Amino acid sequence: MHIKTMPTLYEVDIFYRKVLLDDRINGFFEGVDMDRQIAKQKSFLTMVFGGPVSYSGQDMRRAHAHLVARGLNDTHFDAVVENLGASLAELGVAAEVISEVAALAETTRADVLGK
Amino acid sequence: MSSANSITLDWEGSPVPCVEGDTVLDALLRAGIPVPHSSCLVQARSGPVPAAAQQGLKESLRAQNYLLACLCRPEQDLSLAPPGQGVRITALLTERDWLSDTVLRVRLAPDESLGHRPGQYLTLFRPDGLGRSYSIAGPELELHVRRIPGGAMSNWLAEAQPGQAVTLQGPAGDCFYTPGDPTQPLLLAGAGTGLAPLYGILHDALGQGHQGPIWLYHGALNERGLYLTDELQALAAQHRNFEYRPALLDRDGPLPEVISRDHPKLTGWRGFVCGDPTIVNLLRKRLFLGGMASRAISADAFLPATLK
């Protein structure tokens, strides 16, 4: 597949804005530093675009543990994947590529939710 | 002077040899210089900065000759320094007057230029070494100091006499106007003495002939928290593209909501937000959700003295 492997900041903005506007999940982002969050969203998008990543499944577990403690569950994960799909659709990415991206995002579910 | 294959870098005054094909980072590391930032960001004091070494940097950083040491293959001698240290100079306090019950304006005459851009900040040191950071409200060194009950520096400045010598270090910060697109709409928003950098940025933008609309929001709890209202109203009367909007919490509601009401869509705008960290974060988020690109928002959050 590979639409490409590095997202642009414009693409990161579109995705992050959708996440912040989504009342199902934006509570988890209250009070977080925008710059750091944007950097994290960028590495997340790099990963689901099939690009190089510099963190392990263990890192993902550790980074989300405090959110799991606050109730982060499958419905929230689904909402993020949904926002990802909607962002890519808005950017004109083809449907079959979006499903491949969603499949890559899916590989992180167990680590993110600490299962 | 350098020949084609021998380039000398200068790191804070010490020579650093650079082999052809080396990046600046290679040369610094070989010379045993710990590069100050994981991002490999350094600042050129003189010498031509190759465009490739500024790839992806914000316009405000490019304007201050920042470069990425890991991408920079110098073609000529370059003088470099760690980011954001500025220079250290002495200055005399020339004037002070109260802009409101709690905001003191302090004007300083430096013995040499700080080379700042209005909106950047400096650190002011008393003769005993106590230092505090303040934003620079104009092309001259003008500071807006909020008097804090029991505040060591603000109370000292309130009593200081013209002619008092102080030390200044700076400039620092990337919250300032860059011409870029002179027709782009600008939104300046801040609370309290967050007006200081915005006032500087406003004057800079108008002075450089910015043609796009400029909206300045100054948030305060009530009427007594506003200052420079006459000056700002006069500027608004003088410049058709400038709108001044004082926003009072007890009359208009929270500042981010006032902005949303006036500007539900901010796609394509450029934003500057200044003040204490809580309001800065709320404003940034509001502008971003309104459609402003994250990199089009410059923020300057004032940290309490103990954290600086």
Side-chain angles (χ1 to χ4, degrees):
Chain A
M1 69 150 204
H2 296 319
I3 19 180
K4 58 182 175 167
T5 54
M6 285 290 276
T8 64
L9 264 181
Y10 175 67
E11 292 161 343
V12 176
D13 275 3
I14 286 188
F15 171 58
Y16 184 42
R17 194 176 287 120
K18 282 197 196 299
V19 166
L20 284 182
L21 286 169
D22 186 339
D23 289 333
R24 294 172 295 177
I25 47 178
N26 54 16
F28 292 106
F29 296 90
E30 281 301 328
V32 302
D33 179 87
M34 265 183 67
D35 284 330
R36 273 199 262 165
Q37 198 55 43
I38 283 173
K40 285 181 190 163
Q41 305 291 5
K42 189 172 182 185
S43 34
F44 172 66
L45 289 188
T46 303
M47 192 280 290
V48 299
F49 285 5
V53 288
S54 55
Y55 52 86
S56 66
Q58 273 310 313
D59 294 334
M60 293 283 266
R61 272 173 196 273
R62 225 171 293 127
H64 293 90
H66 69 292
L67 299 177
V68 173
R70 279 173 53 196
L72 188 76
N73 63 37
D74 282 300
T75 63
H76 305 121
F77 190 92
D78 293 342
V80 170
V81 176
E82 189 187 312
N83 282 300
L84 175 62
S87 304
L88 295 176
E90 188 178 324
L91 290 160
V93 175
E96 61 269 26
V97 177
I98 295 179
S99 0
E100 288 183 58
V101 167
L104 263 174
E106 196 57 45
T107 63
T108 67
R109 184 186 291 264
D111 285 326
V112 167
L113 297 178
K115 288 184 176 174
Chain B
M1 288 285 100
S2 61
S3 70
N5 50 13
S6 123
I7 294 159
T8 302
L9 305 177
D10 167 298
W11 180 257
E12 295 193 282
S14 312
V16 174
C18 183
V19 183
E20 195 180 10
D22 263 4
T23 64
V24 166
L25 185 65
D26 295 332
L28 292 176
L29 291 177
R30 192 176 312 107
I33 292 164
V35 179
H37 248 244
S38 56
S39 64
C40 82
L41 192 68
V42 299
Q43 193 172 17
R45 286 187 175 160
S46 65
V49 178
Q54 295 188 309
Q55 242 173 38
L57 289 183
K58 280 200 205 173
E59 199 177 341
S60 57
L61 291 178
R62 291 203 300 265
Q64 293 175 85
N65 289 324
Y66 278 91
L67 59 94
L68 295 166
C70 50
L71 290 182
C72 184
R73 293 178 200 283
E75 285 145 19
Q76 291 176 52
D77 293 355
L78 261 182
S79 174
L80 300 161
Q85 308 243 312
V87 294
R88 220 176 152 98
I89 60 171
T90 56
L92 297 182
L93 191 155
T94 53
E95 223 184 304
R96 58 174 176 78
D97 58 323
W98 290 99
L99 296 173
S100 74
D101 292 349
T102 53
V103 178
L104 181 73
R105 173 163 55 192
V106 173
R107 290 197 159 108
L108 300 159
D111 62 3
E112 58 183 294
S113 167
L114 208 55
H116 75 280
R117 303 288 303 269
Q120 287 192 290
Y121 65 90
L122 54 74
T123 304
L124 181 150
F125 295 93
R126 292 197 312 214
D128 69 358
L130 181 81
R132 293 286 185 271
S133 297
Y134 297 102
S135 294
I136 310 168
E140 307 299 326
L141 295 183
E142 171 182 327
L143 316 178
H144 300 167
V145 178
R146 185 165 65 91
R147 186 166 61 178
I148 296 163
M153 183 65 94
S154 58
N155 286 297
W156 182 78
L157 283 170
E159 301 297 322
Q161 293 304 310
Q164 171 69 51
V166 294
T167 302
L168 305 177
Q169 180 164 356
D174 59 3
C175 204
F176 58 83
Y177 176 75
T178 46
D181 172 5
T183 62
Q184 187 175 31
L186 309 181
L187 195 149
L188 284 51
T193 50
L195 180 62
L198 301 178
Y199 195 67
I201 292 164
L202 169 69
H203 277 277
D204 200 12
L206 291 173
Q208 295 200 46
H210 193 83
Q211 296 147 25
I214 306 174
W215 290 69
L216 169 66
Y217 287 86
H218 186 206
L221 291 176
N222 52 45
E223 204 81 47
R224 293 176 59 192
L226 298 176
Y227 65 91
L228 291 174
T229 47
D230 292 349
E231 288 83 347
L232 287 163
Q233 272 156 5
L235 276 174
Q238 203 184 324
H239 296 272
R240 284 179 53 202
N241 61 335
F242 171 52
E243 299 283 341
Y244 167 50
R245 287 286 183 274
L248 305 179
L249 189 64
D250 64 5
R251 183 190 69 190
D252 309 308
L255 183 54
E257 287 172 27
V258 175
I259 294 172
S260 284
R261 281 201 298 270
D262 287 354
H263 306 285
K265 278 301 249 181
L266 289 166
T267 311
W269 286 59
R270 170 142 176 65
F272 297 91
V273 296
C274 306
D276 76 66
T278 312
I279 187 77
V280 162
N281 282 334
L282 290 170
L283 287 169
R284 271 185 95 177
K285 197 161 162 183
R286 176 49 52 200
L287 301 189
F288 178 66
L289 293 181
M292 213 182 274
S294 55
R295 69 179 326 176
I297 309 171
S298 299
D300 186 4
F302 299 172
L303 299 177
T306 46
L307 297 179
K308 269 223 158 143

